[in-house]
Amino acid sequence: MTDRSVYLDNAAVTRVDERVFEAMKPYFFDTYAVATSEFGYSQGIEAREALDDAREKLAAYLGAENEEFIFTSGSTESSNMAIKGVTLALGQKKGKHIIVSKIEDFPVLHSAQALEKQGFGVSYLDTDSDGLVDPDRLRDSITGETILVSIQHANQEIGTVQDIEGIGRVCRDKGVLFHTDATHTFTRVPLNVKKIPVDLITIAAHTIHGPRGIGGLYIRKGTRIAKWMDGGFQEFNLRAGLENIPGAVGFAKAVELVTTEETEMLQAMRDRLIDRILAEIPDTTLNGHRIMRLPQNANITFHFVEGESITLHLDMHGFAVNTGSACFSRSLEGSHVIFGIGGDHERAHGSIRFTFGRYNTMEEVDAVIQVLAQIVSELRAISPLGKDN
Amino acid sequence: MKFPYSETVLEHFRRPRNVGKIEDADGKAIEGSPACGDMVSVYINVEPETKKISDIKFESYGCASNIATGSIITELAKGKTLDEAKKITWKQASDALGGLPKIKAHCSVLAVEGLRSAIQNYEERHGLVKEQKKTTVDIVRRRLKKVMNPITGLDLVRTKMIKDIELKNGTVKVVVDLPPEHQFARSMKEEIIEKIEPLWDITEVSVEFTE
């Protein structure tokens, strides 16, 4: 046991950057009024301006207009709103079929399952063994009834980045709306709505050293979507509720702080970890695409051992990572992503996800590899699998 | 630091006792499989006259509670007679470990079963078992007592989750009182099949859920 504490679960949530926190502070203590209309009192007008300013920065980052971007409580809400809002608006008029991939994150997957219970048809698209959706296969799945396609920009577990442009073109050709969950790619992988035909985008601050509890949904102008939360007229009358102005300000600040150099550094850590583990620890398999991959994600299966045993040992050495093993999950089910790419229980059982962030260093990468090699060999020594006989 | 297990569990997890394989063991068993998750192998040597377990070893492909239970079970069983060792329960193992999380019951019960199966294996190989009995609803129910309900950490029978058992020409249908979309439905189904299928005269097992 050491007093080292190395956090390698940045896909779950990231540490908030002090500069983000500092930017938010005035909106808790000084300018804490609600955003009033332009005819309100001064503090409310200042709050309104801060909100508008944050919106403008975030919309601009996506290449969108201010009116096309609304704030939500996070990526779960954004994806729920995109899928349920569109189906509520178009389900009666246009058709009752949607398409998602099998490896979507739970907000999309479980929204689709909820719609299925209400009588919608849902196609769950297969991916290849790297987790890629084939745009041609998508084309074949679109019917006259299809109103929405929701395919993630990158996968939360195995990090595979989709051919979002190819998928978007198919949807545009077929006249079907396209939503993408960009929770894990936002600011790390380019996504500009002027270049890529996408109609709805889920993003969030918690993955980029911003605060939790704030996210956003891009909605292309003219997209039919039902009001999501009833109440007041906030967020262009699409999502009622007191605006989270400190959150919005923090979100915009978090985006401002991301640099290309930093993303390259994350990618260098990822590559070093993947290359060294695959070379130095026998019986390991990379999960997800080697090239079309999130810069901050590595996911590796250590065969013949179980993931929770690895994570617990790593934890005792001060490293926090995640696993797709059933034993680690609340539902006692192995990763649906590993199953979705054609992997079996055994592959999910020993899969470990490492996700990097601003506060990680190359020394930590080397340290975790060294500890891992030791842990995996000890666990293999007590495992009945993988021996010669 | 805050870990999800008791100190004793962590201690056994870090330094599991009696790990390994006994070559030409008097009795051995493998419980679970890589396909369904955790797996445990148990090996025993038995003193022929006293029927005491003289040596015991285990191997684990599993999570922390699986490893720790494997370890404690070898300590509890060593030196005991087969009849005594057979009676060791999951509860006793859990108590000896200072308590296991309820949700982990299913991974840890595997080690307890591994021990029982190794004993059974010994008895079968040494002509100590009576003739194979025809499977009855009662036998199925007894097996279902080994399937844990992760919601409570108690077995399915005790928590009244089994609504119906139908037995017909070697096929078994089990109806579980849980909605099919419940988070534990799938893992429960797999475990039920795993427990019932090995019965010698059963060819098919189906599991249904209630709405």
Side-chain angles (χ1 to χ4, degrees), chain B residues 193-211:
Chain B
I193 292 174
E194 200 189 307
K195 287 288 176 298
I196 308 298
E197 225 166 30
L199 285 165
W200 68 281
D201 56 347
I202 298 302
T203 50
E204 204 189 318
V205 183
S206 65
V207 179
E208 283 175 21
F209 293 92
T210 53
E211 276 308 321

Side-chain angles (χ1 to χ4, degrees), chain A residues 36-282:
Chain A
T36 59
S37 75
E38 56 209 287
F39 308 110
Y41 42 84
S42 355
Q43 203 195 121
I45 294 168
E46 276 172 42
R48 155 73 56 206
E49 283 173 0
L51 183 67
D52 288 347
D53 186 48
R55 190 191 312 281
E56 196 179 326
K57 283 180 182 152
L58 286 157
Y61 203 92
L62 291 167
E65 304 294 324
N66 293 358
E67 301 74 37
E68 293 177 311
F69 185 85
I70 72 158
F71 284 108
T72 67
S73 64
S75 45
T76 297
E77 187 188 336
S78 296
S79 290
N80 266 270
M81 175 173 181
I83 292 170
K84 293 173 184 168
V86 163
T87 48
L88 203 59
L90 294 177
Q92 294 302 328
K93 299 190 182 84
K94 200 169 166 256
K96 288 197 146 201
H97 178 242
I98 68 166
I99 300 171
V100 302
S101 86
K102 274 190 181 160
I103 62 170
E104 294 299 314
D105 209 346
F106 288 133
V108 169
L109 209 54
H110 291 170
S111 291
Q113 285 165 5
L115 286 172
E116 227 176 339
K117 274 193 211 147
Q118 292 169 23
F120 277 82
V122 181
S123 297
Y124 298 92
L125 270 192
D126 283 320
T127 69
D128 69 9
S129 58
D130 285 327
L132 284 171
V133 169
D134 177 2
D136 288 329
R137 184 178 271 191
L138 169 65
R139 188 188 299 274
D140 295 341
S141 318
I142 296 175
T143 71
E145 282 272 296
T146 311
I147 52 174
L148 178 73
V149 169
S150 180
I151 292 176
Q152 58 191 185
H153 193 191
N155 187 266
Q156 62 285 355
E157 289 180 32
I158 59 170
T160 297
V161 177
Q162 299 293 341
D163 170 14
I164 199 99
E165 192 164 356
I167 292 167
R169 298 248 166 269
V170 167
C171 295
R172 191 54 60 86
D173 283 355
K174 292 278 195 176
V176 175
L177 291 175
F178 175 37
H179 164 250
T180 194
D181 175 1
T183 306
H184 298 280
T185 51
F186 184 54
T187 73
R188 300 291 184 202
V189 180
L191 177 56
N192 189 309
V193 300
K194 290 205 179 80
K195 293 182 191 133
I196 293 172
V198 51
D199 303 296
L200 301 123
I201 304 173
T202 290
I203 60 171
H206 73 276
T207 48
I208 52 167
H209 306 283
R212 63 193 80 192
I214 186 84
L217 181 65
Y218 160 77
I219 309 169
R220 190 178 288 277
K221 209 171 276 175
T223 303
R224 298 287 304 272
I225 188 163
K227 182 166 183 175
W228 168 240
M229 192 87 82
D230 287 309
F233 301 97
Q234 293 91 344
E235 298 301 312
F236 311 109
N237 200 21
L238 281 175
R239 195 249 183 206
L242 183 65
E243 292 108 335
N244 179 358
I245 295 174
V249 169
F251 195 178
K253 185 69 184 176
V255 169
E256 188 190 308
L257 295 173
V258 173
T259 62
T260 315
E261 294 72 42
E262 177 179 89
T263 303
E264 283 166 3
M265 180 61 192
L266 299 183
Q267 183 159 332
M269 289 193 252
R270 172 198 80 181
D271 289 341
R272 186 172 175 90
L273 184 110
I274 292 175
D275 292 345
R276 279 198 58 190
I277 287 181
L278 295 184
E280 294 171 29
I281 303 181

Side-chain angles (χ1 to χ4, degrees), chain A residues 363-380:
Chain A
E363 288 69 43
E364 292 175 348
V365 172
D366 288 332
V368 77
I369 295 167
Q370 195 191 334
V371 171
L372 254 174
Q374 179 68 24
I375 290 171
V376 170
S377 103
E378 279 172 21
L379 286 172
R380 280 181 181 163

Side-chain angles (χ1 to χ4, degrees), chain B residues 4 31 45 58 67 97 143 165 198:
Chain B
E31 284 287 326
N45 275 346
F58 86 104
I67 293 173
L97 286 169
R143 293 237 160 176
I165 301 169

Side-chain angles (χ1 to χ4, degrees), chain A residues 304-306 308-309 312-313 315-316 327 330-333 339 345-346 349 379 382-385 387 389, chain B residues 1 3 5 13-14 19 21 34-35 37-39 41 59-64 67 104 183-184 186 190:
Chain A
F304 319 130
V305 289
E306 189 278 324
E308 194 232 19
S309 286
L312 184 57
H313 269 301
D315 191 14
M316 294 196 284
C327 298
R330 289 182 201 185
S331 62
L332 297 182
E333 278 190 20
F339 298 148
H345 271 283
E346 200 268 337
H349 218 42
L379 286 172
I382 69 169
S383 171
L385 301 177
K387 310 264 164 71
N389 49 5
Chain B
M1 287 195 148
F3 297 112
Y5 298 103
F13 170 64
R14 235 176 280 158
V19 168
K21 194 177 243 162
D38 288 1
M39 181 173 153
S41 312
E59 293 172 309
S60 159
Y61 165 65
C63 60
I67 293 173
K104 290 292 188 175
Q183 58 170 347
F184 294 130
R186 204 166 79 182
E190 278 177 17

